Every structure is written in structure tokens, then in C-alpha cells.
Amino acid sequence: MVELERLLNEDPIQALPIVIITALIYWFVRKSRHKRKFGDNFKEIRKKARLNEIIRLLFVCYIAELICCTMFPTGFWYWVFNLFPVHRDIKFVRWNFVPTLWAHFVEYSGKLLGEFQWKRIVLDFVLNIVLYVPLGLALPFVWKRAGLVKTVLVGFGCTLLVEFMQAFIFRDPNIDDVICNTLGAACGYLLYLIMKKIFPNFTEKCKTRAVL
């Protein structure tokens, strides 16, 4: 029971219904749009672009999950679904973005040098890198012009926007998150290049879009 409570206390699990609803709406709207656009060729074109459509759907789910977990106050979904009593402390709003980033940097550096919390710090770094790997991996499949530079810029822009907005929604913007998330987007694109090198035919099939 304790493990179940701990699992349900995580924002990614609590936001799952929102992600599912978003995915269903996206799939219905896109399918309806293709049916109007392609007419009699609808089924044939959708069949050829099946892998690309699945990747796009997963990408939409990822973006919805990312927004739910980063753009809402800590414990927001926990409060919405009210599965168990809330035990999280709500922080006061931080209106000054740059001072907050600097304060976090000073605090983070002090913990790194003083308390020597290597395990927690390394775990935070790894998780923040992994968080944006799907963005860098999926972007070349959903955006034809996505290269390494553009993918990194998109990743940097997204994480910077997220950290900026967190200054107004009861969360602390972190400069190390910006660095790690951007690095994660770059790692995702490198995985795409590796996949393209090892499985060129499969990669091209995944990139086949629904067009006439």
C-alpha cells in the first residue's frame, strides 16, 4: 500500500488521464482531417504513413506529459485527483526569474561543495537529461527540416520557456535544468543519427508522411 501511494504521488502517473484524453483528441482530429483531405486514397496513404503517425501520436503524448509535469505547481495533479491526503509543501511564488536562477545556482553550488551530495546531484542531472531525449529523438521524424542545430535550439527554447514560467507557478526555475535539458535534446538527436546509420530503411519508413 505504501508503494502504491508513493507511485500515485508522482505527477507523471497523476497526469496520465490528461495525456490519454489529449492523445484521443489528437488522433480523432488528425484522422478526420486526413479523411477529408485524401478522400478515396485515405486508407492507402494512412497505411504507408502508419509508423510516422504512431511517432507523431507518441510525441503528442510526450509533450502533454511534459507540460503537465513542468508547467503546473508541484503536487497540482495530486490535488486535482485527490487520491490521498496532500503531504507536499507549497512554495511561495517567485516573481524574479534571474535572481531566482542565481539564488538556485548559489544554493546548488553550496550543496555540491559543502554537503557532497553526489548521488542526488548525479541522479538529478541524469533525469533532466533523459527528460528531453525523446524531444531530440522524435523531432526529426515530425519536422522535416530538423537538424542538430535546430533540434538543440528547440530543446533550449522549450526548457528556457518552462523554467521562465515556473517562476510564476509556485516552482523554482533551475539553471542546471536548462543545461541538462538542452543536452538531453542533443543526445536524442544523436540517437536518431545512430538509428539512421544502423537501420536506414526502417528510419526512412518512420519518416514517411501522409502526403499525396
Side-chain angles (χ1 to χ4, degrees):
M1 186 64 181
V2 175
E3 287 299 317
L4 176 61
E5 181 175 350
R6 183 191 62 79
L7 180 63
L8 294 175
N9 192 40
E10 298 297 327
D11 284 345
I13 300 299
Q14 296 158 19
L16 191 58
I18 306 299
V19 175
I20 294 175
I21 292 173
T22 302
L24 291 175
I25 293 175
Y26 167 81
W27 187 258
F28 175 78
V29 171
R30 188 164 178 83
K31 187 175 180 179
S32 300
R33 181 173 175 269
H34 283 173
K35 190 173 290 187
R36 292 195 304 268
K37 182 178 180 181
F38 301 131
D40 296 336
N41 299 322
F42 165 73
K43 290 185 178 180
E44 181 181 352
I45 292 176
R46 290 274 295 188
K47 185 177 180 180
K48 290 181 179 179
R50 182 176 298 168
L51 290 176
N52 188 260
E53 291 299 318
I54 292 174
I55 292 174
R56 289 174 180 271
L57 178 64
L58 293 176
F59 187 65
V60 168
C61 293
Y62 163 74
I63 295 298
E65 183 72 41
L66 186 66
I67 292 174
C68 288
C69 294
T70 61
M71 299 294 285
F72 290 89
T74 303
F76 175 81
W77 299 105
Y78 190 79
W79 173 79
V80 169
F81 294 102
N82 197 26
L83 296 173
F84 294 97
V86 178
H87 298 293
R88 298 184 180 183
D89 295 327
I90 298 178
K91 301 177 182 179
F92 290 103
V93 179
R94 303 253 186 150
W95 295 98
N96 299 319
F97 179 61
V98 175
T100 302
L101 283 177
W102 175 251
H104 172 79
F105 176 75
V106 173
E107 179 185 0
Y108 177 81
S109 301
K111 289 182 178 180
L112 176 63
L113 298 175
E115 300 178 15
F116 206 68
Q117 298 179 351
W118 284 105
K119 290 184 179 180
R120 186 185 63 81
I121 292 171
V122 170
L123 180 61
D124 287 344
F125 262 76
V126 171
L127 291 178
N128 277 298
I129 290 174
V130 172
L131 181 64
Y132 270 66
V133 168
L135 176 67
L137 178 60
L139 203 59
F141 293 104
V142 301
W143 186 25
K144 192 174 182 179
R145 298 181 180 180
L148 176 60
V149 175
K150 289 183 178 179
T151 299
V152 171
L153 288 176
V154 170
F156 174 74
C158 288
T159 183
L160 189 63
L161 176 62
V162 167
E163 297 303 318
F164 176 77
M165 293 301 297
Q166 284 184 352
F168 304 94
I169 55 172
F170 301 98
R171 301 185 73 153
D172 289 326
N174 302 332
I175 189 64
D176 47 300
D177 287 357
V178 176
I179 298 173
C180 292
N181 294 160
T182 304
L183 181 59
C187 290
Y189 188 82
L190 292 178
L191 286 177
Y192 160 75
L193 293 179
I194 294 173
M195 177 180 173
K196 185 178 180 181
K197 184 70 174 179
I198 300 177
F199 308 106
N201 294 332
F202 178 72
T203 303
E204 287 304 314
K205 287 183 180 180
C206 290
K207 295 178 70 173
T208 302
R209 294 169 172 79
V211 294
L212 286 173

